[in-house]
Amino acid sequence: MLGDDDDVFDSVTWESPAPATAYNNELVLSGPGFRQSTTDSNEGPLDPKWEGYLITSVKDPVKELADTKDAYVSYLVQAKTNLPIFSTTTPSARRRFQDFVFLRENLARDFPACVVPPLPDKHRLEYITGDRFSPEFMERRRNDLARFLQRLSRHPTLQRSTLVRAFFESTEWHVHMHQHIAHPPGPEPSPSIIDNISDTLLNAFARVRKPDERFLDMREGVDKFEEGLTLSERLYTRIRGRTSDHNLESGEDLTADYHDLAVAVQGLGFLESGITDQLNHFSNTLLEFSALLRHTTQTTTDPLLLHLHSLLSYSHANRAVLKLRDQKQLDFEELSDYLSGVTSERDRLAAVISGHAGSTGLGLGAYIKDRVDAIRGADDDRSRVEKMRKLDIKIKELQDAVTTAHDTSDAFSDETLREQSVFQFAKEAEMKEMLGNFADGQIEFYKAAMEEWERIIPIIQRIRVDV
């Protein structure tokens, strides 16, 4: 919990402290991450605001320290931007995977209300087999890291963070990392009364008693979105396996079936001497179509599956923010209940001291507690007065904590509403890109397939059939 004097969201900034610079006339950009104006009359107070654009790329993976046990891969990260926080419009630097991990972990810590995109999992088979330096793995990793930076660049808060700026600009990145760890942005959270409450009170499995309908609808939307992504991933994984799974035992590799059919047709050509040339051409067309199927799987279906899985992980990060918002509300509700219980106990003691214990209406529980106190020898008025004094101090602390928890919960809710708008923009942009690329790949496949089969038709027609 934050202290009384701490700003509730000092590390989450939605308004830029400086005006945006002039924009490059050659860049006419719009959409998530490219919005130029923060004075749109159609925007509400909870709508996110972009101050400029940040276009990122990850290129040129290079194996560093190749002949040593400390070998690693570095990537060239580049950007084009008009954000005033950057000192140049075209920053660039070389970074390794661990640098991306540091960036992601510290952004998640510094901006708890933001959906910080996930990184690809490092615990993969390639790290065990030693294939993490293969060109295929490095290219796949480069593509995943490029998508990570693209998601950061689309976020109106994260794109303007000092850590992102240093990631692209700093020539002394390791020094900056140590400084960031030693002096993180914003004040250190001070211990508060909520940290001292028993775990049995603030139970991780407790549910919000007064859920906000807006966030219930958001959670339902996230559930349906993830369900759709999971189903799509499962179906296209099945399609990919039936088309080109490289598993001869499965009997469902369509590319292998076309290859076998080509071999069979070629064998017929040796038997049918009059149409050997035509059958050989047909066999070659089958081989070309088999290769085209395999190429389409690698260039269209595989990227789709990777993007679906990545988008699902991104949605999990969004779900985590919604869960954290619920936790903030739960903190407020549990603290309020705790305050109510302490206040009741203080009132009970006051009633006992004044001799009107029966009029407090506190019931059998209070009576039993009085009897237990009497048995323990804590029944004298002096001990009750001392206990009341301590309860008064605790009540004051709890009242301050409840006020802080209420302010934090409300502020986090507002930030979450903005964050859902940002995630919606990013999600729509990625869905458009993902499905557009898949559609382009399918169009290219069917055009190439039509050209292959149309070329064989005149050759087949030259076969003479005597009736």
Side-chain angles (χ1 to χ4, degrees):
M1 298 298 293
L2 299 173
D4 296 341
D5 298 329
D6 294 340
D7 188 1
V8 175
F9 277 96
D10 56 281
S11 63
V12 180
T13 305
W14 293 88
E15 299 292 344
S16 176
T21 59
Y23 307 115
N24 189 337
N25 293 330
E26 296 178 359
L27 294 172
V28 182
L29 303 170
S30 61
F34 301 107
R35 294 191 172 190
Q36 307 299 313
S37 174
T38 60
T39 58
D40 189 347
S41 59
N42 295 325
E43 291 181 345
L46 296 180
D47 290 334
K49 299 175 178 64
W50 283 267
E51 291 293 342
Y53 62 81
L54 177 64
I55 308 171
T56 62
S57 64
V58 180
K59 302 177 180 178
D60 189 25
V62 174
K63 184 178 180 181
E64 310 280 2
L65 305 177
D67 298 328
T68 68
K69 63 181 180 64
D70 298 322
Y72 65 92
V73 178
S74 68
Y75 303 85
L76 176 64
V77 294
Q78 295 177 315
K80 294 181 180 179
T81 182
N82 64 352
L83 292 169
I85 192 173
F86 286 86
S87 60
T88 176
T89 58
T90 56
S92 65
R94 292 204 72 87
R95 300 287 181 250
R96 59 184 297 182
F97 184 75
Q98 286 301 323
D99 299 330
F100 285 85
V101 172
F102 179 88
L103 176 65
R104 199 272 167 192
E105 290 179 350
N106 283 271
L107 285 176
R109 184 192 65 181
D110 298 342
F111 300 92
C114 292
V115 180
V116 180
L119 279 170
D121 188 10
K122 187 174 180 178
H123 302 289
R124 303 173 64 113
L125 182 62
E126 289 84 349
Y127 281 86
I128 301 175
T129 61
D131 293 335
R132 63 190 180 101
F133 296 117
S134 66
E136 296 80 10
F137 176 80
M138 288 194 294
E139 175 60 22
R140 187 163 64 247
R141 172 58 56 82
R142 182 204 64 78
N143 192 51
D144 289 337
L145 296 178
R147 183 173 295 122
F148 167 74
L149 290 184
Q150 184 185 56
R151 288 168 174 168
L152 289 183
S153 69
R154 284 177 172 150
H155 198 289
T157 299
L158 301 179
Q159 66 169 194
R160 294 184 287 110
S161 71
T162 56
L163 194 59
V164 169
R165 179 194 64 189
F167 184 80
F168 282 100
E169 289 186 347
S170 178
T171 57
E172 298 180 342
W173 171 246
H174 290 286
V175 175
H176 191 91
M177 286 195 298
H178 290 301
Q179 290 177 346
H180 191 87
I181 294 174
H183 306 286
E188 289 290 334
S190 57
S192 61
I193 192 170
I194 195 172
D195 300 320
N196 301 322
I197 297 177
S198 171
D199 291 338
T200 58
L201 176 64
L202 300 180
N203 195 319
F205 298 99
R207 291 182 176 272
V208 174
R209 289 189 291 277
K210 296 180 180 179
D212 191 319
E213 290 294 332
R214 297 172 299 176
F215 299 107
L216 289 178
D217 293 341
M218 289 179 185
R219 188 180 292 275
E220 182 180 358
V222 170
D223 289 340
K224 292 181 179 178
F225 178 64
E226 292 183 356
E227 181 182 355
L229 289 179
T230 303
L231 179 60
S232 299
E233 185 180 18
R234 185 183 306 123
L235 290 174
Y236 276 103
T237 299
R238 189 183 308 164
I239 292 172
R240 193 231 183 277
R242 292 176 177 176
T243 303
S244 179
D245 66 353
H246 306 286
N247 184 4
L248 298 178
E249 296 181 357
S250 69
E252 293 186 344
D253 192 335
L254 192 57
T255 59
D257 290 342
Y258 273 106
H259 183 275
D260 294 342
L261 180 59
V263 174
V265 171
Q266 190 177 39
L268 287 175
F270 295 110
L271 300 175
E272 303 293 335
S273 57
I275 56 173
T276 298
D277 185 61
Q278 289 86 347
L279 288 176
N280 284 339
H281 277 88
F282 192 82
S283 175
N284 290 335
T285 300
L286 288 170
L287 289 175
E288 290 293 333
F289 186 70
S290 175
L292 186 60
L293 270 176
R294 194 177 304 277
H295 174 75
T296 302
T297 298
Q298 294 172 350
T299 59
T300 302
T301 307
D302 287 351
L304 175 69
L305 286 171
L306 291 172
H307 205 153
L308 282 171
H309 186 76
S310 176
L311 198 55
L312 186 61
S313 299
Y314 195 16
S315 183
H316 291 339
N318 180 46
R319 178 188 293 276
V321 171
L322 289 173
K323 184 177 181 180
L324 185 57
R325 191 222 67 87
D326 289 346
Q327 185 60 49
K328 299 299 181 183
Q329 182 178 343
L330 185 61
D331 289 345
F332 167 67
E333 292 179 348
E334 295 290 354
L335 277 172
S336 298
D337 286 351
Y338 190 28
L339 173 61
S340 178
V342 173
T343 303
S344 298
E345 173 64 12
R346 195 265 180 205
D347 293 342
R348 185 190 69 82
L349 288 175
V352 171
I353 292 175
S354 62
H356 300 287
S359 64
T360 62
L362 296 178
L364 180 61
Y367 174 79
I368 295 176
K369 183 174 179 56
D370 287 340
R371 295 300 90 203
V372 172
D373 288 343
I375 295 173
R376 295 171 55 189
D379 193 32
D380 59 288
D381 288 345
R382 183 181 301 175
S383 63
R384 292 194 184 99
V385 170
E386 177 61 20
K387 189 173 183 179
M388 281 182 59
R389 186 186 66 80
K390 293 179 179 179
L391 288 176
D392 286 336
I393 295 174
K394 180 178 287 190
I395 288 172
K396 179 61 172 63
E397 293 178 351
L398 282 171
Q399 287 173 340
D400 294 340
V402 167
T403 301
T404 300
H406 179 266
D407 294 342
T408 301
S409 178
D410 285 351
F412 209 98
S413 294
D414 290 343
E415 296 297 334
T416 303
L417 290 174
R418 292 190 184 95
E419 200 61 26
Q420 295 309 300
S421 298
V422 173
F423 181 76
Q424 186 67 24
F425 286 138
K427 180 179 70 175
E428 290 174 359
E430 286 203 29
M431 294 287 286
K432 179 181 179 180
E433 174 194 353
M434 177 180 67
L435 297 178
N437 290 340
F438 183 75
D440 290 340
Q442 292 297 302
I443 292 172
E444 179 183 348
F445 165 71
Y446 284 109
K447 281 184 176 180
M450 286 179 62
E451 291 175 359
E452 289 292 335
W453 291 112
E454 285 175 349
R455 276 198 294 266
I456 196 64
I457 291 176
I459 298 174
I460 298 297
Q461 288 176 342
R462 289 204 297 266
I463 299 177
R464 296 182 59 182
V465 180
D466 296 329
V467 179

